[in-house]
């Protein structure tokens, strides 16, 4: 996502860097390339045009023209205007009010609405809410079963309304669901409505009747990021037809070029609240315009990285691990647990792209190979017995041969991993010496 746009903008900024100073001529040239980059990223034409006009007006200011650092000034202006077209500050769900808060999700068929409903339920449970899911796509019976299956994956605390598969009265089902949610003391109701292949009068009429009956706190559009500028037409259609309060962009992890994310707020005046970044139920991120702008400009996203780490690492488990490290009892089983925790945070490439300055390095590195290597290591550890994972010293040649066969690897792979594991143990022992300052002392940083 945004990779192509990032590369093209970086190329523009490098050319500006080589000029030594901004002039009207090189600003005009740079902005022509920026405009082309935006259009190639499938940004809406009117949005791209307005963006360029605003950047140009600011870049032509005397303070910028007299600057000895033209690249930094242009990056700053472009970054601030990127944040502005995406809405400035981050939006949020309106969960205020008495009784259960009703959130109605709308969107076209195939936009990922049902999966997004389950993802949103998981997100709400993590923040202490008790969601009640309502399958209301009565034109697609499989959608009811799909939402029930997904709710089961969300886990405890996620209830689903028992929508009859043979009914066609969406208003009656919605009314009964709200009553059931109140009786079950649920504080949030997520309504997964019907979709169509295109915005049509029948769909808008059904959604309007449901909306007027249950009066949702917010109506949220689930828009497919893969559709680019088409997402803008869909969003304006739903805004004008039924009314929307916010947008959730699904499928941001795919081959989407970023146009929808950059265009939707500017064309609808509605905030993008969340983005779906993967197929797992935890792959739903709050949309932060400033962080997205930083990623586009290659500045990383440390705040998102920190939040991912906080969500993935359990503080109690971390305390147990610290005790084991201090006693030099870090086993292969502990190693595997840490690998699995890292995998929850995303791929190696995703994590590196969030670190400032690492995006370019990530592209040059074989990150697909890195992820493959981590899977291989996990397979090697999984092929060991519990006793072997607890005590690596018993891994003689015959055991290593068996492990290689069980994990689909070679004995040399097993040997190399065990060597790396021993080096990791030594490094961690150094880190925990003297209250965790042993390594710093060795590097000359201790005091």
């Amino acid at each position: 996502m945004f990779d192509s746009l990032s590369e093209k903008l970086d190329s523009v900024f490098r050319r500006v860097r080589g000029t030594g100073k901004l002039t009207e001529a090189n600003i005009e040239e740079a902005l022509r390339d920026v405009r082309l980059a935006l259009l190639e990223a499938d940004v809406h034409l009117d949005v791209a045009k307005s963006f360029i006009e605003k950047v140009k007006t600011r870049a032509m200011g005397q303070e910028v023209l007299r600057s000895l650092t033209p690249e930094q000034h242009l990056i700053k202006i472009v970054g601030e205007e990127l944040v502005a077209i995406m809405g400035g500050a981050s939006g949020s769900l309106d969960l205020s009010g008495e009784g259960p808060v009703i959130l109605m999700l709308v969107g076209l068929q195939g936009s990922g609405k049902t999966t997004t409903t389950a993802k949103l339920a998981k997100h709400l449970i993590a923040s202490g809410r008790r969601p009640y899911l309502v399958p209301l796509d009565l034109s697609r019976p499989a959608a009811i079963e799909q939402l029930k299956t997904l709710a089961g994956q969300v886990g405890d605390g996620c209830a689903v309304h028992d929508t009859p598969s043979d009914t066609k009265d969406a208003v009656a089902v919605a009314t009964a669901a709200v009553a059931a949610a109140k009786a079950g003391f649920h504080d949030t109701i997520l309504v997964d409505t019907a979709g169509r292949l295109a915005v049509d009068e029948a769909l808008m009429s059904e959604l309007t009747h449901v909306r007027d009956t249950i009066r949702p706190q917010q109506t949220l559009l689930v828009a497919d990021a893969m559709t680019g500028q088409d997402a803008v037409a869909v969003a304006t259609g739903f805004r004008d037809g039924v009314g929307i309060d916010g947008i959730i962009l699904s499928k941001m992890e795919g081959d989407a070029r970023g146009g929808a994310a950059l265009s939707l707020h500017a064309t609808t005046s509605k905030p993008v609240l969340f983005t779906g970044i993967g197929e797992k139920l935890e792959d739903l991120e709050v949309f932060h315009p400033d962080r997205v702008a930083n990623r586009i400009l290659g500045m990383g996203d440390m705040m998102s990285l920190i939040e991912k780490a906080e969500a993935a690492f359990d503080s109690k488990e971390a305390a147990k691990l610290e005790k084991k490290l201090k006693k030099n009892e870090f086993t292969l089983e502990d190693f595997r647990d840490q690998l699995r925790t890292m995998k929850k945070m995303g791929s190696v490439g995703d994590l590196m792209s969030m670190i400032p300055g690492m995006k370019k390095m990530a592209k040059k590195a074989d990150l697909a190979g890195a992820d493959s290597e981590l899977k291989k290591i996990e397979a090697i550890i999984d092929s060991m017995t519990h006793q072997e994972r607890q005590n690596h010293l018993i891994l003689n040649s015959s055991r290593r041969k068996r492990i290689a066969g069980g994990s689909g690897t070679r004995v040399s792979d097993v040997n190399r991993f065990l060597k790396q594991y021993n080096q990791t143990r030594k490094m961690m022992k150094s880190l925990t010496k003297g209250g965790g300052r042993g390594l710093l002392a060795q590097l000359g940083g201790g005091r």
Side-chain angles (χ1 to χ4, degrees):
M1 187 67 175
F2 299 119
D3 283 350
S4 178
L5 178 59
S6 295
E7 288 175 11
K8 287 181 171 62
L9 288 179
D10 182 59
S11 176
V12 171
F13 296 141
R14 276 190 278 111
R15 286 205 302 276
V16 171
R17 186 190 314 157
T19 64
K21 192 173 182 181
L22 282 179
T23 64
E24 289 191 21
N26 60 31
I27 287 173
E28 290 277 6
E29 182 183 356
L31 291 182
R32 276 197 300 271
D33 292 335
V34 171
R35 181 177 182 274
L36 182 61
L38 291 171
L39 293 178
E40 288 180 354
D42 214 10
V43 173
H44 192 274
L45 179 62
D46 292 341
V47 176
K49 183 178 178 181
S50 174
F51 176 84
I52 294 299
E53 291 284 341
K54 290 175 181 176
V55 173
K56 182 178 178 180
T57 300
R58 294 184 59 186
M60 291 294 190
Q62 289 303 307
E63 180 186 349
V64 177
L65 290 175
R66 291 172 183 166
S67 171
L68 297 176
T69 56
E71 181 193 15
Q72 286 91 331
H73 268 292
L74 192 56
I75 289 174
K76 181 175 183 291
I77 293 169
V78 169
E80 289 173 353
E81 292 301 330
L82 281 173
V83 173
I85 66 169
M86 288 185 284
S90 305
S92 61
L93 294 173
D94 182 2
L95 301 175
S96 60
E98 296 181 6
V101 172
I102 303 174
L103 303 176
M104 189 168 86
L105 279 72
V106 301
L108 293 184
Q109 189 173 314
S111 63
K113 185 160 36 64
T114 302
T115 303
T116 300
T117 301
K119 287 181 176 181
L120 189 55
K122 191 172 184 68
H123 171 81
L124 290 168
I125 289 172
S127 59
R129 308 287 297 187
R130 295 188 66 245
Y132 188 75
L133 277 53
V134 183
L136 207 63
D137 189 348
L138 308 181
S139 61
R140 191 168 65 94
I144 298 173
E145 292 306 316
Q146 182 187 0
L147 191 59
K148 288 180 179 178
T149 301
L150 290 170
Q153 295 172 13
V154 171
D156 294 339
C158 186
V160 186
H161 185 67
D162 190 16
T163 300
S165 59
D166 57 349
T167 184
K168 296 298 178 185
D169 190 342
V171 172
V173 172
T175 303
V178 171
K182 289 179 179 178
F185 301 102
H186 293 275
D187 55 21
T188 315
I189 302 172
L190 300 180
V191 184
D192 177 26
T193 62
R196 300 284 192 278
L197 294 176
V199 176
D200 60 34
E201 190 175 336
L203 174 62
M204 292 300 111
S205 177
E206 178 181 314
L207 294 177
T208 301
H209 284 141
V210 171
R211 180 203 65 196
D212 292 345
T213 301
I214 63 175
R215 298 188 177 280
Q217 194 94 342
Q218 286 186 304
T219 299
L220 307 176
L221 170 69
V222 179
D224 185 347
M226 302 281 287
T227 59
Q229 286 196 44
D230 289 343
V232 173
V234 170
T236 53
F238 274 93
R239 181 198 63 189
D240 299 340
V242 70
I244 59 173
D245 302 292
I247 300 165
I248 301 176
L249 265 178
S250 63
K251 307 178 187 179
M252 285 277 281
E253 78 281 4
D255 295 327
R257 290 170 287 178
L262 294 174
S263 304
L264 282 170
H265 178 269
T267 52
T268 66
S269 300
K270 304 301 178 182
V272 177
L273 301 177
F274 297 94
T275 55
I277 56 167
E279 295 180 0
K280 297 177 182 177
L281 294 182
E282 55 266 24
D283 291 337
L284 186 74
E285 281 189 351
V286 175
F287 186 77
H288 297 282
D290 55 339
R291 299 184 192 181
V292 173
N294 283 342
R295 289 191 199 183
I296 292 172
L297 297 176
M299 297 177 183
D301 184 359
M302 286 302 295
M303 283 304 299
S304 291
L305 182 60
I306 291 167
E307 286 172 4
K308 281 179 177 285
E310 287 176 343
F313 286 88
D314 181 89
S315 57
K316 291 181 180 178
E317 290 301 319
K320 287 181 185 177
L321 181 62
E322 185 180 357
K323 289 180 181 178
K324 285 190 172 188
L325 292 174
K326 286 180 177 178
K327 295 178 181 179
N328 200 28
E329 295 175 353
F330 183 69
T331 67
L332 285 163
E333 206 153 82
D334 297 322
F335 192 98
R336 182 186 62 182
D337 291 343
Q338 295 310 302
L339 279 183
R340 288 176 176 172
T341 301
M342 282 181 59
K343 282 169 66 177
K344 291 180 186 176
M345 295 174 61
S347 68
V348 175
D350 289 340
L351 299 180
M352 284 187 70
S353 69
M354 292 182 185
I355 302 172
M358 294 293 284
K359 191 168 185 176
K360 292 179 186 176
M361 189 182 299
K363 286 184 179 178
K364 294 177 183 177
D366 180 18
L367 297 181
D371 285 322
S372 176
E373 187 66 23
L374 292 179
K375 288 179 182 177
K376 186 190 291 185
I377 289 172
E378 191 173 354
I380 288 171
I381 300 175
D382 283 342
S383 296
M384 298 177 185
T385 65
H386 177 72
Q387 185 185 17
E388 289 167 344
R389 288 195 291 269
Q390 293 298 317
N391 181 11
H392 67 286
L393 297 176
I394 66 173
L395 292 171
N396 56 28
S397 57
S398 62
R399 288 176 184 262
R400 295 183 187 206
K401 186 176 180 180
R402 189 203 79 243
I403 291 165
S407 59
T409 60
R410 297 169 297 184
V411 174
S412 59
D413 294 323
V414 177
N415 291 338
R416 184 171 64 253
F417 160 63
L418 290 173
K419 183 178 179 181
Q420 292 169 343
Y421 165 71
N422 278 312
Q423 289 171 344
T424 300
R425 277 172 59 95
K426 287 178 183 177
M427 183 187 74
M428 288 184 166
K429 187 176 181 180
S430 299
L431 277 168
T432 55
K433 271 185 180 179
R437 301 180 64 176
L439 186 60
L440 285 176
Q442 290 177 32
L443 296 173
R447 284 183 170 82

